[in-house]
Amino acid sequence: MSANKSETGSAGKTNLEADPDWRKNLFATILANTDDGVSVQDRNMRVIYANAAQKRMLGDDLEGRYCYQVYERRPELCPDCPVEMAFNTGKPFRATHFGFDKEGNQIAAEIVATPIFDDHGEIVAGLEVVRLVTEQVKVQQQIVEKNHRLEKLAHIAREISSGLDLDKSFSRVVKNAVEMSGADCGLVGVINKQRQVIQIPYHYNMPPDLEIPELPLHEGVAGRVLQTGKPTIVKDSARDPDHLTFLEQAFEKYEVNSMLMAPVMVGDKPLGILTLFILDKKQVFSQDDLETAMIIADQAAVALQNALLFRETSERLRIQRELNKVAISITSGLDLGKILDQVVSQAAGIVKADAAMIALLDEERELITFPYAYNLPAGLRRMTAPRGDSLAGAVIEKGEPRIVNDYAVSELSRREFVEEGITAVASVPLMMGDRCMGAIGVMAIGNSRIFTDEDIEILSLVSRQAAVAVENAGLYS
């Protein structure tokens, strides 16, 4: 065959063997064609030989220079130098070192250094064989980092599931999220549906001007993340179309550049938000950071749901105890005035309102009176209003509960109450059979508290007990 003819001579020898100097040239041929870098250093660590692969890797001007200057760009001998170890032990030495290629890129190399002896058995030089393992080392580092991340996430999960103390759990959550992502600081916000805000009680390493107590629920980047249920990385916060203008000054002061926001959700129900910040304009969050933040946010959601269920159970027990107190007050005597004074203060306490009032219908005069109040000026008790000219009047007229969370601008508001700072009111009818004789209302003063249907349900229970008190006192037949 032609291939055999080109490779062998008439005596069956290869072309290489046919060359009388083939043994003399074999070493040079191997060095010239191997992909591994090969160099020889003298006892002073000066490079006296480098093959073509070594020069392609590190540059053409290697001979005559110190190896540590060329390979790792150091002013002195490298720590754990393989050639130095070979000199000291007289045996080959293997190690992995990090250095720089001729373009300045960091590389990882597996180095085998072997001492070279003269005819008298003295070490005169060192042979160094260098094989690039940069990609293999990167993969190993990624595996180590992922394993470390998984161990850290498992540790976070154990911390979160170890108790129902939400403050401790979330303080750990935000600290771990910051440390694992390489962020500078972070926070966890929790949705307050009653006030329609994101309350932010949990911070880690936040600058003072950025320790924001709360944010609007449906505004800004946080509002967008909670509405879509999708995490986001903001690479330039100042240019995001949803950025909040009132935060601009603080963001500029601390050079907030990149933000990462992950929703804390159970199913499709948002409960809060995890936010991380980088205060270096040269850095941004990565996709790995986003994935880590989402895992932590999901774990935080479980903790938050458990804590909320625990709080909800505790709150229901508290409400039941308060309702029992109302029942005891009603059955303890027939002094209607004292009983209703107690009922009105207990109504405020049960729903955690700032104030409360009982309005009664004076059918003869067609007026609404307000004789029983809690945490309101005494002057309001002497006030009267036409039957249909107030929120209480509307509730009495229709016998149906009402919630007004924008009381100051409501057509059912009374100037006297607005002047006292009333911002929201929930009111239920006080019924005697099919007849409405008054209303019980609870109020928020000077804050963004809003009332809900749950508050109405609780007030309705109080109202029914108050009606029993009126019946027991024999006020109505």
Side-chain angles (χ1 to χ4, degrees):
M1 294 177 66
S2 58
N4 291 334
K5 289 179 181 178
S6 65
E7 294 177 358
T8 61
S10 59
K13 294 183 178 181
T14 65
N15 290 338
L16 180 62
E17 292 174 314
D19 182 353
D21 296 324
W22 75 274
R23 292 183 182 278
K24 184 189 303 182
N25 297 328
L26 180 60
F27 185 62
T29 302
I30 292 172
L31 290 177
N33 289 279
T34 182
D35 288 332
D36 292 336
V38 178
S39 64
V40 178
Q41 280 89 271
D42 64 17
R43 290 304 301 256
N44 294 319
M45 299 299 174
R46 196 182 297 274
V47 180
I48 58 176
Y49 169 80
N51 72 342
Q54 191 83 323
K55 291 180 179 180
R56 285 195 301 270
M57 189 190 314
L58 301 171
D60 294 324
D61 57 339
L62 302 183
E63 283 96 342
R65 299 173 65 189
Y66 292 107
C67 60
Y68 48 80
Q69 293 177 337
V70 175
Y71 301 158
E72 297 192 21
R73 302 187 180 183
R74 294 177 180 270
E76 56 189 19
L77 193 65
C78 306
D80 301 323
C81 170
V83 175
E84 178 74 5
M85 296 297 292
F87 285 164
N88 292 338
T89 63
K91 298 178 181 180
F93 186 83
R94 182 187 300 269
T96 301
H97 272 234
F98 294 89
F100 299 91
D101 64 16
K102 61 183 179 182
E103 279 84 27
N105 302 311
Q106 189 175 53
I107 57 174
E110 186 179 85
I111 300 171
V112 178
T114 305
I116 299 175
F117 297 87
D118 64 10
D119 294 339
H120 303 289
E122 297 293 329
I123 298 175
V124 294
L127 174 69
E128 194 170 61
V129 180
V130 177
R131 173 167 293 178
L132 287 179
V133 291
T134 306
E135 293 305 315
Q136 295 94 313
V137 169
K138 283 182 179 179
V139 171
Q140 290 174 353
Q141 287 177 335
Q142 289 172 355
I143 292 172
V144 170
E145 289 172 0
K146 286 185 178 180
N147 286 338
H148 175 71
R149 186 177 71 162
L150 290 173
E151 289 175 1
K152 188 68 174 177
L153 289 171
H155 176 69
I156 294 172
R158 287 192 296 270
E159 283 188 330
I160 289 175
S161 60
S162 63
L164 294 171
D165 189 329
L166 194 61
D167 292 341
K168 286 184 180 179
S169 294
F170 269 34
S171 295
R172 293 189 189 118
V173 162
V174 66
K175 178 178 182 293
N176 288 323
V178 168
E179 292 175 348
M180 288 190 67
S181 65
D184 294 298
C185 51
L187 55 85
V188 172
V190 179
I191 293 175
N192 184 323
K193 286 188 176 181
Q194 283 189 330
R195 298 181 50 231
Q196 293 292 289
V197 297
I198 305 170
Q199 292 181 315
I200 309 175
Y202 310 108
H203 306 88
Y204 178 72
N205 207 32
M206 293 291 291
D209 293 355
L210 289 177
E211 287 191 357
I212 307 157
E214 60 185 42
L215 290 171
L217 179 55
H218 301 295
E219 299 178 20
V221 181
R224 182 179 74 208
V225 169
L226 291 173
Q227 184 176 3
T228 62
K230 296 180 180 179
T232 187
I233 294 174
V234 179
K235 295 183 178 180
D236 186 346
S237 58
R239 295 186 179 182
D240 191 281
D242 291 322
H243 80 281
L244 296 172
T245 55
F246 72 86
L247 294 176
E248 285 181 359
Q249 188 173 355
F251 275 29
E252 288 178 7
K253 179 178 178 180
Y254 294 102
E255 298 184 345
V256 174
N257 183 53
S258 184
M259 291 192 304
L260 189 159
M261 289 189 173
V264 177
M265 304 185 70
V266 173
D268 58 356
K269 180 183 178 182
L271 302 177
I273 190 164
L274 169 65
T275 305
L276 305 174
F277 300 89
I278 289 179
L279 308 183
D280 184 346
K281 292 191 175 180
K282 295 180 182 178
Q283 296 185 28
V284 295
F285 289 106
S286 67
Q287 186 64 31
D288 283 345
D289 296 329
L290 187 70
E291 292 173 1
T292 299
M294 274 306 301
I295 293 172
I296 295 175
D298 288 342
Q299 293 176 343
V302 174
L304 182 55
Q305 185 183 39
N306 290 341
L308 291 177
L309 288 172
F310 178 74
R311 287 185 178 181
E312 182 179 338
T313 301
S314 300
E315 179 67 4
R316 290 188 180 278
L317 290 173
R318 184 193 67 82
I319 290 170
Q320 188 58 55
R321 286 194 297 267
E322 293 297 325
L323 289 172
N324 290 340
K325 289 180 182 179
V326 175
I328 292 171
S329 297
I330 289 171
T331 58
S332 62
L334 295 177
D335 187 331
L336 186 61
K338 290 182 179 179
I339 291 173
L340 293 184
D341 272 332
Q342 289 181 325
V343 167
V344 73
S345 65
Q346 289 167 339
I350 292 176
V351 298
K352 298 181 180 179
D354 298 311
M357 179 168 272
I358 292 179
L360 296 177
L361 173 61
D362 186 334
E363 292 182 322
E364 291 184 2
R365 297 189 297 162
E366 290 289 305
L367 292 175
I368 304 296
T369 62
F370 303 88
Y372 305 104
Y374 166 75
N375 200 31
L376 290 170
L380 292 181
R381 297 189 181 203
R382 297 188 292 271
M383 188 184 75
T384 61
R387 182 168 182 163
D389 191 20
S390 66
L391 175 58
V395 170
I396 293 170
E397 188 71 25
K398 293 189 176 182
E400 297 176 354
R402 293 285 295 267
I403 296 175
V404 177
N405 285 320
D406 53 352
Y407 185 77
V409 296
S410 171
E411 61 181 10
L412 295 174
S413 66
R414 295 282 302 179
R415 175 182 55 80
E416 297 88 344
F417 288 96
V418 174
E419 289 176 352
E420 295 300 330
I422 304 299
T423 54
V425 179
S427 183
V428 298
L430 188 60
M431 304 292 295
M432 178 66 71
D434 295 331
R435 182 183 180 188
C436 185
M437 54 184 167
I440 298 179
V442 292
M443 303 156 190
I445 300 177
N447 57 57
S448 57
R449 161 76 188 268
I450 64 172
F451 293 105
T452 65
D453 290 340
E454 186 176 352
D455 296 317
I456 291 294
E457 290 177 10
I458 296 169
L459 284 176
S460 296
L461 294 174
V462 175
S463 173
R464 284 197 285 272
Q465 292 187 348
V468 171
V470 174
E471 184 176 20
N472 290 345
L475 183 62
Y476 290 90
S477 59

